[in-house]
Amino acid sequence: MNFSRRELLAHLAAVPLSGLVGCGALGGYNFVGELLSPDFSTGHRLRDGWQPPPPKSAAQSHQVVIVGGGIGGLATAWQLDQNGIDDYVVLELADQPGGTATSGSRDGFHYPWGAHYVPTPMQDNESLIELFRQMGVIVGQQSDGRPIVSEQYLCREPEERVFFQGHWIEGLYPTAGASPQDLEQLQRFRELMRDWSTRRDAAGRRMFAIPMSRSSDDDLVRQLDNVSMSQWMTDQRFSSARLRWLVDYSCRDDYGLTIQQTSAWAGLFYFVSRLGGESAESQAVITWPEGNGRVVNYLAQQTADRMRCSHAVTNIQRRDGHVHVRALDKQSSTTVDFTAKHVVFAAPQFLAPHLISDWKSSGRSVANFRYGGWVVANVFLSARPQESDGAMAWDNVIYDSRSLGYVVSTHQTGLDHGATVLTWYQPLLDDDPRVSRAELMQLTWQDWVRVVVSDLRKAHPDLAPLIRRIDVMRWGHAMVQPRVGFVWSDQRRTASESLGRIHFAGTDLSGIALLEEAFDRGVQAANRCAV
């Protein structure tokens, strides 16, 4: 679609042109903010063939070099420590670790810049449970082995609500005015999800499990990857607009895709993997004011003396029985070489062909790995907007919006009045992710502020005078996308296999962007380094 700039903003905010907030100081209300983004330039230079100058000092030698300091790389470091291996270094492009799980702080507030919760892990997810034990998040286990989460980290009520037809409704399903057919389909959908959660394959595996490496690879579930979630719902006679909206919202929330774009395997995974067998309820949500930045900060503290931020890896080469890694220290503009027995590549797969010297001869391809763009805005308020339907929930969703709504950073602290920060999320849903990235780069801070405020005013018409700051983060390659045919493709499965002594760790190896997936891939990669 060829939009004018103003039409594009109205499209992104899902409002008519007349409903778009004006550009002149937003109707007379002045506030400040920043337009932020990860380091795009270094990656683009490497993609275009740029190489740094040769190093001036001898190579540093380590048993393991970890490329990437997101959750996958941090999990690798954590597991290496569990295995008694401490001779490693983590090379991270950004000036702080964490990737899309990073967080921020300002004026006493803590808030996420990306992922913001983790469902309570099932009892067989032993490594993640052990991490949460060390963090003091999990404090015991029930008689059946299920972990007990410290109450302060369980999302407090009200947990979620949806703004529908002018009112806030508790939960994410808009029950107001639902027809008997709507409610019958909702009930049938829930029963079908529970049925899937109780099934086991011949090896005793759940059909959908977190992490997905524990899921069944039975043909019954693999075939679901060949159709879209929309087509699967049509085949199952789910025609209710409200139900289809709920499922579409869920796919946008976890995958940055519509139900037309999402693989049915991934769509079912979202609902089924979080159900504990016969339970009708999903696993309780663990969250913090800074979201999954709490996990990042803990893991980063454990490996602070071995973390090298602002280091852009430019080449990885296997020779002489070792793996050689070259990196540019962006702060000093000097080149540093590393030699290792093992390298863990915990960066996104789309970078591998540009960094691993013998990638072409390996016969691998990343052509089907597609990543979606996201925008996250942190909106600082001097006070809460007026509410006629009860207090703000933790997660607040607007029904007729392209955004995912917002989470309230102060919710877990018990502060239900006064100043707060709303973290607003919007995936960019173009069929071609390159179009989304072009939109990200052409729009200014003022443009995104107009989108954010126009969207929030649907539910909070009195919001603008309360805003004192809006910071906007652009994520160009935020999340791998589980499009139709990708999750069970040969490309995706081959990507997780080691290339000699180069091992891979990252959520994109699972095809779904979850903390649990990145953590599991990091643990697996670390264990390969112990061999």
PDB file of all heavy atoms in Angstrom, residues 487-498:
ATOM      1  N   VAL A 487       8.221 -23.843  11.265  1.00  0.00           N
ATOM      2  CA  VAL A 487       8.642 -24.463  12.526  1.00  0.00           C
ATOM      3  C   VAL A 487       9.191 -25.867  12.305  1.00  0.00           C
ATOM      4  O   VAL A 487      10.186 -26.258  12.915  1.00  0.00           O
ATOM      5  CB  VAL A 487       7.484 -24.471  13.541  1.00  0.00           C
ATOM      6  CG1 VAL A 487       7.875 -25.248  14.797  1.00  0.00           C
ATOM      7  CG2 VAL A 487       7.090 -23.047  13.916  1.00  0.00           C
ATOM      8  N   TRP A 488       8.566 -26.641  11.449  1.00  0.00           N
ATOM      9  CA  TRP A 488       9.034 -28.007  11.218  1.00  0.00           C
ATOM     10  C   TRP A 488       9.784 -28.155   9.897  1.00  0.00           C
ATOM     11  O   TRP A 488       9.895 -29.245   9.347  1.00  0.00           O
ATOM     12  CB  TRP A 488       7.868 -28.988  11.306  1.00  0.00           C
ATOM     13  CG  TRP A 488       7.405 -29.140  12.714  1.00  0.00           C
ATOM     14  CD1 TRP A 488       6.296 -28.618  13.290  1.00  0.00           C
ATOM     15  CD2 TRP A 488       8.092 -29.846  13.761  1.00  0.00           C
ATOM     16  NE1 TRP A 488       6.236 -28.936  14.627  1.00  0.00           N
ATOM     17  CE2 TRP A 488       7.330 -29.699  14.940  1.00  0.00           C
ATOM     18  CE3 TRP A 488       9.278 -30.581  13.825  1.00  0.00           C
ATOM     19  CZ2 TRP A 488       7.701 -30.254  16.169  1.00  0.00           C
ATOM     20  CZ3 TRP A 488       9.659 -31.131  15.032  1.00  0.00           C
ATOM     21  CH2 TRP A 488       8.873 -30.977  16.182  1.00  0.00           C
ATOM     22  N   SER A 489      10.341 -27.046   9.413  1.00  0.00           N
ATOM     23  CA  SER A 489      11.129 -27.090   8.185  1.00  0.00           C
ATOM     24  C   SER A 489      12.512 -27.657   8.451  1.00  0.00           C
ATOM     25  O   SER A 489      13.027 -27.613   9.574  1.00  0.00           O
ATOM     26  CB  SER A 489      11.267 -25.683   7.598  1.00  0.00           C
ATOM     27  OG  SER A 489      12.047 -24.859   8.456  1.00  0.00           O
ATOM     28  N   ASP A 490      13.141 -28.184   7.406  1.00  0.00           N
ATOM     29  CA  ASP A 490      14.513 -28.697   7.532  1.00  0.00           C
ATOM     30  C   ASP A 490      15.468 -27.566   7.894  1.00  0.00           C
ATOM     31  O   ASP A 490      16.421 -27.768   8.653  1.00  0.00           O
ATOM     32  CB  ASP A 490      14.945 -29.354   6.223  1.00  0.00           C
ATOM     33  CG  ASP A 490      14.225 -30.677   5.970  1.00  0.00           C
ATOM     34  OD1 ASP A 490      13.701 -31.259   6.943  1.00  0.00           O
ATOM     35  OD2 ASP A 490      14.175 -31.101   4.803  1.00  0.00           O
ATOM     36  N   GLN A 491      15.231 -26.353   7.354  1.00  0.00           N
ATOM     37  CA  GLN A 491      16.112 -25.222   7.665  1.00  0.00           C
ATOM     38  C   GLN A 491      16.138 -24.935   9.152  1.00  0.00           C
ATOM     39  O   GLN A 491      17.203 -24.739   9.742  1.00  0.00           O
ATOM     40  CB  GLN A 491      15.654 -23.966   6.912  1.00  0.00           C
ATOM     41  CG  GLN A 491      16.211 -23.831   5.525  1.00  0.00           C
ATOM     42  CD  GLN A 491      15.975 -22.451   4.948  1.00  0.00           C
ATOM     43  OE1 GLN A 491      15.808 -21.480   5.680  1.00  0.00           O
ATOM     44  NE2 GLN A 491      15.956 -22.365   3.630  1.00  0.00           N
ATOM     45  N   ARG A 492      14.968 -24.888   9.771  1.00  0.00           N
ATOM     46  CA  ARG A 492      14.899 -24.565  11.186  1.00  0.00           C
ATOM     47  C   ARG A 492      15.551 -25.654  12.021  1.00  0.00           C
ATOM     48  O   ARG A 492      16.326 -25.369  12.945  1.00  0.00           O
ATOM     49  CB  ARG A 492      13.433 -24.359  11.588  1.00  0.00           C
ATOM     50  CG  ARG A 492      13.216 -23.597  12.884  1.00  0.00           C
ATOM     51  CD  ARG A 492      13.328 -24.441  14.124  1.00  0.00           C
ATOM     52  NE  ARG A 492      12.449 -25.591  14.087  1.00  0.00           N
ATOM     53  CZ  ARG A 492      12.520 -26.606  14.938  1.00  0.00           C
ATOM     54  NH1 ARG A 492      13.456 -26.622  15.885  1.00  0.00           N
ATOM     55  NH2 ARG A 492      11.691 -27.636  14.849  1.00  0.00           N
ATOM     56  N   ARG A 493      15.293 -26.915  11.699  1.00  0.00           N
ATOM     57  CA  ARG A 493      15.861 -27.998  12.502  1.00  0.00           C
ATOM     58  C   ARG A 493      17.371 -28.115  12.306  1.00  0.00           C
ATOM     59  O   ARG A 493      18.120 -28.360  13.263  1.00  0.00           O
ATOM     60  CB  ARG A 493      15.159 -29.311  12.152  1.00  0.00           C
ATOM     61  CG  ARG A 493      13.734 -29.396  12.731  1.00  0.00           C
ATOM     62  CD  ARG A 493      13.075 -30.713  12.378  1.00  0.00           C
ATOM     63  NE  ARG A 493      12.732 -30.755  10.963  1.00  0.00           N
ATOM     64  CZ  ARG A 493      12.288 -31.843  10.336  1.00  0.00           C
ATOM     65  NH1 ARG A 493      12.182 -32.977  10.988  1.00  0.00           N
ATOM     66  NH2 ARG A 493      11.972 -31.799   9.056  1.00  0.00           N
ATOM     67  N   THR A 494      17.854 -27.919  11.096  1.00  0.00           N
ATOM     68  CA  THR A 494      19.289 -28.000  10.837  1.00  0.00           C
ATOM     69  C   THR A 494      20.042 -26.885  11.553  1.00  0.00           C
ATOM     70  O   THR A 494      21.186 -27.069  11.984  1.00  0.00           O
ATOM     71  CB  THR A 494      19.559 -27.916   9.321  1.00  0.00           C
ATOM     72  OG1 THR A 494      18.887 -28.997   8.669  1.00  0.00           O
ATOM     73  CG2 THR A 494      21.044 -27.999   9.014  1.00  0.00           C
ATOM     74  N   ALA A 495      19.397 -25.733  11.702  1.00  0.00           N
ATOM     75  CA  ALA A 495      20.059 -24.575  12.313  1.00  0.00           C
ATOM     76  C   ALA A 495      20.522 -24.848  13.735  1.00  0.00           C
ATOM     77  O   ALA A 495      21.484 -24.232  14.208  1.00  0.00           O
ATOM     78  CB  ALA A 495      19.120 -23.371  12.300  1.00  0.00           C
ATOM     79  N   SER A 496      19.860 -25.759  14.437  1.00  0.00           N
ATOM     80  CA  SER A 496      20.229 -26.027  15.827  1.00  0.00           C
ATOM     81  C   SER A 496      21.375 -27.029  15.948  1.00  0.00           C
ATOM     82  O   SER A 496      21.892 -27.246  17.053  1.00  0.00           O
ATOM     83  CB  SER A 496      19.014 -26.542  16.601  1.00  0.00           C
ATOM     84  OG  SER A 496      18.557 -27.761  16.061  1.00  0.00           O
ATOM     85  N   GLU A 497      21.796 -27.633  14.838  1.00  0.00           N
ATOM     86  CA  GLU A 497      22.894 -28.603  14.869  1.00  0.00           C
ATOM     87  C   GLU A 497      24.231 -27.888  14.867  1.00  0.00           C
ATOM     88  O   GLU A 497      24.412 -26.878  14.182  1.00  0.00           O
ATOM     89  CB  GLU A 497      22.788 -29.543  13.664  1.00  0.00           C
ATOM     90  CG  GLU A 497      21.505 -30.363  13.627  1.00  0.00           C
ATOM     91  CD  GLU A 497      21.340 -31.154  12.345  1.00  0.00           C
ATOM     92  OE1 GLU A 497      22.249 -31.055  11.466  1.00  0.00           O
ATOM     93  OE2 GLU A 497      20.323 -31.850  12.201  1.00  0.00           O
ATOM     94  N   SER A 498      25.178 -28.407  15.618  1.00  0.00           N
ATOM     95  CA  SER A 498      26.500 -27.784  15.693  1.00  0.00           C
ATOM     96  C   SER A 498      27.209 -27.866  14.349  1.00  0.00           C
ATOM     97  O   SER A 498      27.027 -28.807  13.574  1.00  0.00           O
ATOM     98  CB  SER A 498      27.343 -28.466  16.765  1.00  0.00           C
ATOM     99  OG  SER A 498      26.771 -28.307  18.040  1.00  0.00           O
TER     100      SER A 498
END
